[in-house]
């Protein structure tokens, strides 16, 4: 193999740059040329790619976001779009592609690999919804950012006897919300995996008020039955019953923007290095992930269209600890 390419796709995740750097430098180490594709699949279709040197990926390890840029490309979801992408890969004499991204991006990677092109995926999304990696790039940093916000909100909530609904990202997966609730000592959590009963939640908050809690913090996953605004609208109609004064904070993209912590830099470096190693072994059509502490590959066909489930024991534990 002489030339490979690497791209980042979907939502950016802190640590993506460390993964790009690892792919580039390990690829160069094998004597390959490594092209960086700009703006995800959109850039692939448009042929926006150039060879990267070891220097080109210097100074990026500690930066959040992705230096290659990312994009959502509806065109790549069509066969025509993917055929254009294949033509552009062939024109640039690229023999294999590394796709750093989440669920949607790995679905795209799988479709491309089904068309006969060698692709290896790297598990990268703050949602942690990818089957094939226990933990994905960006989750740890996003979680720490959410925790910092929760700690601060608790301080102000206690001073004013308030309840805060804090909405965290995660799409249809409640991993970030559940972990933020456990590590942040939240009074309650609303998850997409469990039907939210606003009436039960209101009763729970009122009970916390009667127990003398100075604050009540509810972590709400963006994909829960009711998002934070929806729950707040319900609670406003029942204000007298809650006891607490109510505020809503949506963390949104703040969670993505941080500099990657040590865990994500190391995970991304291991997975990036694992991707080029897999290609060198002749593997393709696989996702590189961390399974029980080891770098493993899982066929993309077994990854796409699946949703990682939450540990029911942890959901139960969160409820018990909230007392
Ligand atoms: P995150 O969940 O962290 O935001 P993601 O990779 O899941 O990241 P998506 O927006 O779902 O982000 O997907 C990114 C891109 O992957 C899409 O814009 C599209 O180009 C491609 N993609 C998604 N689904 C498919 C599909 N079914 N077939 C082909 N390509 C797809």
């Amino acid at each position: 193999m002489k030339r490979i390419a690497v791209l980042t796709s979907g939502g950016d995740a802190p640590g993506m740059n460390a993964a790009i750097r690892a792919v580039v430098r390990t690829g160069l180490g094998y004597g390959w040329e490594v092209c960086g594709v700009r703006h995800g699949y959109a850039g692939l279709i448009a042929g926006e790619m150039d060879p990267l040197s070891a220097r080109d990926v210097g100074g990026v390890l500690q930066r959040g976001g992705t230096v290659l840029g990312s994009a959502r490309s509806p065109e790549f979801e069509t066969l025509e779009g993917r055929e254009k992408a294949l033509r552009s890969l062939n024109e640039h004499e690229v023999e294999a592609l590394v796709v750093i991204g989440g669920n949607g991006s790995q679905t795209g990677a799988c479709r491309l690999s089904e068309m006969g092109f060698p692709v290896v995926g790297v598990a990268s999304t703050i949602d942690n919804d990818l089957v094939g990696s226990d933990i994905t790039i960006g989750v740890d940093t996003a979680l720490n950012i959410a925790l910092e916000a929760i700690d601060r909100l608790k301080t102000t909530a206690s001073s004013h006897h308030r309840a805060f609904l804090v909405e965290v990202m995660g799409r249809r997966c409640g991993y970030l919300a559940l972990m933020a609730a456990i590590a942040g000592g939240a009074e309650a959590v609303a998850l997409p995996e469990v039907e939210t009963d606003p009436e039960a939640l209101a009763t729970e908050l009122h009970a916390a008020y009667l127990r003398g809690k100075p604050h009540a913090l509810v972590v709400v996953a963006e994909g829960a039955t009711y998002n934070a605004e929806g729950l707040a609208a319900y609670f406003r109609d029942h204000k007298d019953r809650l006891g607490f004064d109510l505020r809503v904070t949506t963390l949104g993209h703040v969670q993505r923007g941080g500099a990657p912590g040590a865990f994500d830099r190391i995970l991304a470096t291991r997975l990036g290095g694992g991707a080029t190693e897999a290609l060198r072994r002749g593997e393709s059509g696989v996702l590189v992930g961390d399974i029980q502490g080891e770098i493993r590959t899982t066929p993309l066909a077994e990854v796409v269209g699946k949703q990682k489930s939450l540990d029911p024991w942890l959901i139960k534990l969160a409820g018990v600890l909230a007392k």
Side-chain angles (χ1 to χ4, degrees):
M1 188 146 60
K2 289 199 180 71
R3 181 183 279 186
I4 66 165
V6 57
L7 63 79
T8 49
S9 167
D12 60 300
M16 276 183 160
N17 288 328
I20 296 167
R21 174 180 176 269
V23 169
V24 171
R25 291 194 178 166
T26 55
L28 293 174
Y30 294 141
W32 307 336
E33 208 170 35
V34 184
C35 283
V37 181
R38 313 263 158 206
H39 312 122
Y41 290 128
L44 190 63
I45 291 171
E48 290 180 59
M49 60 184 100
D50 292 297
L52 294 172
S53 70
R55 291 280 62 73
D56 288 330
V57 288
V60 304
L61 190 63
Q62 67 276 28
R63 282 163 57 187
T66 157
V67 287
L68 287 177
S70 188
R72 310 226 188 243
S73 168
E75 193 181 358
F76 192 77
E77 292 178 35
T78 66
L79 183 61
E80 212 182 27
R82 290 196 295 279
E83 279 169 348
K84 275 194 208 166
L86 274 185
R87 274 200 294 280
S88 133
L89 283 164
N90 289 331
E91 273 163 25
H92 287 82
E93 296 177 354
V94 172
E95 291 159 84
L97 176 69
V98 176
V99 173
I100 303 168
N103 229 322
S105 305
Q106 301 309 338
T107 308
C110 186
R111 297 287 103 86
L112 199 62
S113 126
E114 284 162 0
M115 292 165 82
F117 195 84
V119 188
V120 166
V122 170
S124 177
T125 166
I126 67 163
D127 304 337
N128 204 28
D129 57 352
L130 262 180
V131 167
S133 196
D134 294 344
I135 189 97
T136 52
I137 297 169
V139 174
D140 185 70
T141 305
L143 185 54
N144 277 299
I145 294 169
L147 277 182
E148 205 182 312
I150 287 170
D151 290 348
R152 289 178 187 195
L153 288 172
K154 265 193 156 178
T155 307
T156 169
S158 296
S159 312
H160 296 273
H161 229 76
R162 275 181 183 146
F164 267 92
L165 301 177
V166 189
E167 186 174 303
V168 302
M169 281 186 155
R171 288 202 171 182
R172 296 293 311 147
C173 179
Y175 182 89
L176 262 188
L178 179 60
M179 294 306 154
I182 290 174
E187 274 63 39
V189 60
L191 303 167
E193 288 81 357
V194 183
E195 183 76 22
T196 310
D197 177 354
E199 193 50 46
L201 206 51
T203 309
E204 231 173 282
L205 292 187
H206 187 59
Y209 179 79
L210 294 178
R211 283 202 305 278
K213 285 232 177 191
H215 58 250
L217 201 123
V218 184
V219 178
V220 186
E222 67 176 343
T225 328
Y226 291 79
N227 65 6
E229 275 304 337
L231 270 181
Y234 183 92
F235 288 166
R236 271 186 203 113
D237 294 339
H238 300 71
K239 192 169 182 290
D240 297 343
R241 287 194 21 233
L242 274 192
F244 296 105
D245 190 20
L246 191 71
R247 291 288 186 278
V248 176
T249 298
T250 301
L251 297 184
H253 288 80
V254 164
Q255 279 160 106
R256 288 191 188 281
F263 182 89
D264 278 323
R265 292 185 205 188
I266 292 166
L267 176 68
T269 302
R270 290 167 65 228
L271 297 189
T276 51
E277 226 170 66
L279 283 174
R280 206 162 84 117
R281 285 196 300 269
E283 270 190 75
S284 69
V286 292
L287 177 79
V288 179
D290 180 318
I291 298 176
Q292 293 180 345
E294 283 180 24
I295 300 301
R296 302 253 187 90
T297 55
T298 307
L300 282 167
E302 289 176 22
V303 169
V304 302
K306 300 219 177 98
Q307 174 88 35
K308 201 194 281 174
S309 53
L310 285 183
D311 181 346
W313 181 74
L314 280 179
I315 299 179
K316 215 170 136 200
L317 187 64
V320 174
L321 294 177
K323 301 293 177 265

